[in-house]
């Protein structure tokens, strides 16, 4: 796509020394430095991606077989959700052994091959680390509950019932219900901020710290390029186990938590742990990265996680949950950028993940949902920072209705709500077949008839498909203005959001029409439009476009 750039735009890039973190390499590799500042990272929810052994569950062999699809999008990295040994109560976020590979997902050799092939295709490989809790099948927890004098007991939070009986305090699980359950012997309660099969670790125990550091090194030594850190704002709890103030909780996606829950989330001690992890990452060559899932609402608190010696990137949620509205979106983006600028950190932009409704569904489903999700993708990819893509968003997938008997998410099973399974539907690779190319057999979640209509194979042939929109957008996003340029908001009519990204003379405008009426476009060459049926000179409702602004114009 560099042919679209006037040659002088590339010649007038400010010298790297003026902006050391923005030295730019042109062509396929054009990116801000370090690579994560403008990265596009593709999240692979392994059990729903592709099944290579016919058991109906996605696996690492399936990932290997589809690496070309991912590479054809032009992303910088993949992030694999947990594939470690697990009873799979929470889809693998209940880890029994952090250095193992669950046989249902594959083996270490397949991980090695993924690393090798992904690297060969120019992509980095990030995996997940889940430090807040383990599975109740983890050896530590088994030891802890089998023998009250065992040293592993201090790796968890065991407490007596409150003096008036019942749970030790009022802390609640993010999945609903109390965060405390009695251990099997009935002796004491143990803490679990998620399901009762996910006991929280006590990070005051030095062996916990040492063991996780060893896990990081284990995977880094194998060639992994970094980690997504699950519930990074967890880990430490109030040593006095005081009640949380009774403030309303926000339920976001399936997960309920809030900044009101101040005694069990986001304690300041957590930062020292990540400083230590960052030192480990930095001791390896190759700009190894760490993406923290930081579920705090307060922007200034979020920014603390991405100070220069902590996380390179914080995965955050406000942008996902912002309603379809120009003013609200501008406010979300501005607030995040302001807070992160103060610590010199890049933002991340996310449309969907395995914990929330997919963007198409969130924005109304059907054609309207798809139009908005496509527009939001262009918006996100034009903003400064890193873009994180949930597998299937590039096909414009929406949530499926999961029959009650097929529900597997603990939220659905414990709280009796639909839960998160709907956004975890197997990816339709082909237009036909038992599971539309996901598996040669069936799939762990039943997919609706017609699911193949969204398949990758059909979208490959349609130049206006969401698949091609993503490919083109991710490719244009490598232009200096988009990967490293400054940003400023532009004046825009009501219901329209417009901003400029500029690097040297190269200026790209992103315009998003949130309103219900078409707007007439002014000058400039349209680089890309999210419209399903582009009409020249007009930006339809629920549509975004990128325009190359004339370089003389200010
Ligand atoms: C993961 C969820 C998981 C939870 C507990 C989240 O942030 O993304 O899928 O249920 O952590 O591990
Ligand atoms: Mg399988």
């Amino acid at each position: 796509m560099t042919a679209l750039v006037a040659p002088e735009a590339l010649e007038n890039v400010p010298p790297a020394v003026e902006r050391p973190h923005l030295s730019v390499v042109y062509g396929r590799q054009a990116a801000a430095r370090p690579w994560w500042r403008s990265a596009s990272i593709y999240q692979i929810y392994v059990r729903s991606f592709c099944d290579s052994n016919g058991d109906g569950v996605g696996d690492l062999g399936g990932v290997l077989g589809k690496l070309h699809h991912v590479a054809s999008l032009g992303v910088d990295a993949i992030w694999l959700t947990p594939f470690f040994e697990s009873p799979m109560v929470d889809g693998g976020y209940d880890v029994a052994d952090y250095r193992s590979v669950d046989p249902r997902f594959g083996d270490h050799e397949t991980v090695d091959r993924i690393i090798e092939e992904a690297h060969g295709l120019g992509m980095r490989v990030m995996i997940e680390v889940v430090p807040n809790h383990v599975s109740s099948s983890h050896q530590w927890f088994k030891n802890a509950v089998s023998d009250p004098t065992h040293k592993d007991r201090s790796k968890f939070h065991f407490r007596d019932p409150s003096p008036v009986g019942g749970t030790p305090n009022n802390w609640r699980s993010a999945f609903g219900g109390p965060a405390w359950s009695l251990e099997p012997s009935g002796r004491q309660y143990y803490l679990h901020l998620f399901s009762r099969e996910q006991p929280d670790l006590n990070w005051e125990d030095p062996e916990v710290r040492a063991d996780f550091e060893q896990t990081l090194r284990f995977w880094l030594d194998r060639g992994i390029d970094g980690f997504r850190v699950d519930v990074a704002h967890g880990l430490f709890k109030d040593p006095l186990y005081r009640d949380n103030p009774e403030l309303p909780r926000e339920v976001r996606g399936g997960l309920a938590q809030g900044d009101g829950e101040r005694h069990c989330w986001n304690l300041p001690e957590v930062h020292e742990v990540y400083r230590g992890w960052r030192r480990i990452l930095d001791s390896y060559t190759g700009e190894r990265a760490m993406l923290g899932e930081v579920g705090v609402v307060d922007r200034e608190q979020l920014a603390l996680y991405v100070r220069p010696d902590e996380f390179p990137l914080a995965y955050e949620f406000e942008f996902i949950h912002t309603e379809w509205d120009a003013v609200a979106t501008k406010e979300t983006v501005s607030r995040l950028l302001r807070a992160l600028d103060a610590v010199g950190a890049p933002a991340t932009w996310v449309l969907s993940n395995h914990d929330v409704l997919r963007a198409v569904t969130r924005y109304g489903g059907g054609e309207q949902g798809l139009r908005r999700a496509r527009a939001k993708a262009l918006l996100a990819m034009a903003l400064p920072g890193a873009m994180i893509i949930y597998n299937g968003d590039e096909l414009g997938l929406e949530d499926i209705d999961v029959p009650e008997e097929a529900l597997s998410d603990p939220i659905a099973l414990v709280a009796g709500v639909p839960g998160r399974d709907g956004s975890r539907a197997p990816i339709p690779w082909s237009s036909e077949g038992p599971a539309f190319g996901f598996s040669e057999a069936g799939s762990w979640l039943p997919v609706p008839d017609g699911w193949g209509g969204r398949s990758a194979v059909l979208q490959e042939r349609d130049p206006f498909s969401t698949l091609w929109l993503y490919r083109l957008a991710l490719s244009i996003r490598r232009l200096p203005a988009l990967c490293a340029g400054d940003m400023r908001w532009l004046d825009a009519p009501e219901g329209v959001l417009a901003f400029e990204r500029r690097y040297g003379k190269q200026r790209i405008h992103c315009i998003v029409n949130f309103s219900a009426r078409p707007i007439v476009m002014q000058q400039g060459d349209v680089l890309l439009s999210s419209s399903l049926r582009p009409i020249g000179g007009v930006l339809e409702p629920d549509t975004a476009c990128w325009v190359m602004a004339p370089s003389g114009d200010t």
Side-chain angles (χ1 to χ4, degrees):
M1 299 307 297
T2 38
L4 289 167
V5 188
E8 65 273 20
L10 294 180
E11 282 158 16
N12 286 295
V13 173
V17 284
E18 277 176 27
R19 310 167 57 109
H21 60 285
L22 292 180
S23 60
V24 169
V25 184
Y26 300 115
R28 172 73 177 74
Q29 295 304 322
R33 290 250 178 93
W35 69 276
W36 56 70
R37 293 194 73 92
S38 66
S40 45
I41 302 175
Y42 185 81
Q43 177 193 357
I44 298 184
Y45 190 67
V46 178
R47 70 179 174 141
S48 299
F49 194 62
C50 186
D51 170 29
S52 68
N53 64 354
D55 65 355
V57 180
D59 48 45
L60 295 170
V63 171
L64 198 57
K66 294 295 180 196
L67 280 182
H68 280 276
H69 166 87
V70 184
S72 82
L73 292 169
V75 295
D76 300 293
I78 58 174
W79 143 33
L80 301 170
T81 58
F83 48 74
F84 319 108
E85 270 174 34
S86 162
M88 298 288 280
V89 170
D90 186 18
Y93 282 88
D94 45 327
V95 181
D97 178 350
Y98 289 80
R99 285 163 229 160
S100 68
V101 177
D102 193 293
R104 278 167 290 189
F105 289 131
D107 52 25
H108 287 97
E109 286 63 47
T110 320
V111 178
D112 293 344
R113 283 192 59 199
I114 289 176
I115 297 172
E116 200 187 318
E117 292 201 18
H119 285 176
L121 291 165
M123 297 184 295
R124 298 172 198 252
V125 181
M126 300 175 77
I127 62 168
E128 186 122 0
V129 60
V130 184
N132 180 68
H133 44 267
V134 295
S135 160
S136 51
S137 299
H138 192 289
Q139 194 57 47
W140 286 346
F141 195 70
K142 289 203 237 169
N143 294 341
V145 292
S146 65
D147 173 2
T149 64
H150 199 285
K151 71 169 176 53
D152 287 345
R153 209 160 159 93
S154 64
K155 294 190 173 70
F156 300 92
H157 300 271
F158 285 97
R159 306 287 296 165
D160 289 335
S162 93
V164 291
T167 57
N169 64 23
N170 71 352
W171 297 357
R172 293 199 283 155
S173 155
F175 289 170
W180 298 93
S181 290
L182 279 173
E183 61 182 309
S185 68
R187 209 176 283 121
Q188 281 190 305
Y189 282 94
Y190 66 92
L191 177 69
H192 56 85
L193 291 175
F194 294 91
S195 77
R196 63 172 63 211
E197 293 85 0
Q198 292 165 295
D200 277 52
L201 286 169
N202 175 10
W203 274 82
E204 300 290 353
D205 186 310
E207 281 186 23
V208 169
R209 274 181 198 233
D211 192 79
F212 269 89
E213 295 192 355
Q214 219 178 313
T215 293
L216 297 185
R217 290 183 190 283
F218 173 86
W219 290 110
L220 290 166
D221 288 341
R222 282 196 103 93
I224 286 295
D225 301 289
F227 304 92
R228 185 255 197 185
V229 180
D230 185 63
V231 284
H233 55 305
L235 278 57
F236 287 88
K237 327 289 170 193
D238 177 34
L240 301 175
Y241 298 93
R242 282 170 288 185
D243 276 347
N244 280 324
E246 295 282 358
L247 292 175
R249 303 183 106 194
E250 260 186 282
V251 179
R252 311 192 118 195
L255 303 178
Q257 59 196 43
D259 279 358
E261 307 194 3
R262 67 173 76 120
H263 293 312
C264 56
W265 296 107
N266 190 32
L267 269 74
E269 290 79 358
V270 76
H271 297 289
E272 197 44 48
V273 170
Y274 299 130
R275 287 196 190 103
W277 289 15
R278 180 68 183 266
R279 284 193 292 274
I280 294 177
L281 289 167
D282 289 349
S283 71
Y284 284 77
T285 54
E287 297 182 344
R288 314 275 175 127
M290 202 162 62
L291 165 65
E293 186 202 18
V294 185
V296 299
V297 177
D298 184 295
R299 307 289 74 187
E300 279 64 42
Q301 286 292 312
L302 173 83
L304 296 179
Y305 287 77
V306 277
R307 286 175 288 187
D309 57 350
E310 289 194 45
F311 282 100
L313 295 172
Y315 187 99
E316 75 86 46
F317 293 86
E318 294 302 309
F319 188 70
I320 297 181
H321 295 294
T322 302
E323 61 190 296
W324 186 253
D325 176 81
V327 174
T329 303
K330 186 172 180 179
E331 178 61 19
T332 298
V333 169
S334 305
R335 269 166 22 93
L336 183 65
L337 289 177
R338 223 172 16 244
L340 297 181
D341 274 354
V343 290
T348 60
W349 308 108
V350 185
L351 262 57
S352 314
N353 62 42
H354 62 291
D355 292 329
V356 299
L357 293 178
R358 281 192 182 270
V360 177
T361 307
R362 212 174 329 115
Y363 293 124
E367 182 171 323
Q368 184 192 58
L370 183 60
R371 292 169 70 88
R372 291 179 173 179
R374 288 165 57 108
K376 192 156 177 179
L378 285 203
L379 162 65
M381 289 192 229
L383 287 168
M387 172 75 192
I388 300 168
I389 299 161
Y390 179 43
N391 59 198
D393 271 6
E394 81 280 19
L395 302 178
L397 297 186
E398 51 189 306
D399 276 41
I400 57 165
D401 285 327
V402 182
E404 214 177 313
E405 64 282 2
L407 291 172
S408 83
D409 178 10
I411 295 184
L413 303 178
V414 173
V417 294
R420 303 166 290 177
D421 290 315
S423 65
R424 300 172 178 181
I427 302 294
W429 296 104
S430 8
S431 53
E432 289 162 5
F436 303 105
F438 165 72
S439 168
E440 286 180 3
S443 65
W444 68 276
L445 262 187
V447 288
D449 295 342
W451 196 232
R454 297 284 172 82
S455 60
V457 77
L458 290 183
Q459 297 203 25
E460 188 75 48
R461 297 180 208 141
D462 172 6
F464 295 112
S465 67
T466 305
L467 177 58
W468 276 103
L469 180 72
Y470 269 69
R471 284 184 181 149
L472 295 171
L474 286 162
S475 162
I476 296 172
R477 195 173 172 275
R478 292 185 184 280
L479 292 177
L482 289 183
C483 73
D486 291 331
M487 176 195 166
R488 71 179 171 107
W489 295 108
L490 302 173
D491 290 338
E494 203 184 323
V496 176
L497 204 61
F499 58 92
E500 177 181 86
R501 299 291 310 280
R502 177 185 202 137
Y503 204 129
K505 281 194 180 170
Q506 186 180 92
R507 301 188 311 131
I508 294 177
H509 291 177
C510 174
I511 305 156
V512 191
N513 186 0
F514 289 86
S515 81
R517 55 182 204 299
I519 56 164
V520 177
M521 299 284 296
Q522 298 192 340
Q523 50 189 328
D525 294 323
V526 173
L527 290 171
L528 191 60
S529 158
S530 70
S531 172
L532 297 164
R533 290 171 293 276
I535 309 166
V538 167
L539 189 63
E540 303 145 77
D542 300 330
T543 303
C545 73
W546 291 353
V547 176
M548 181 64 83
S551 58
D553 181 27
T554 48

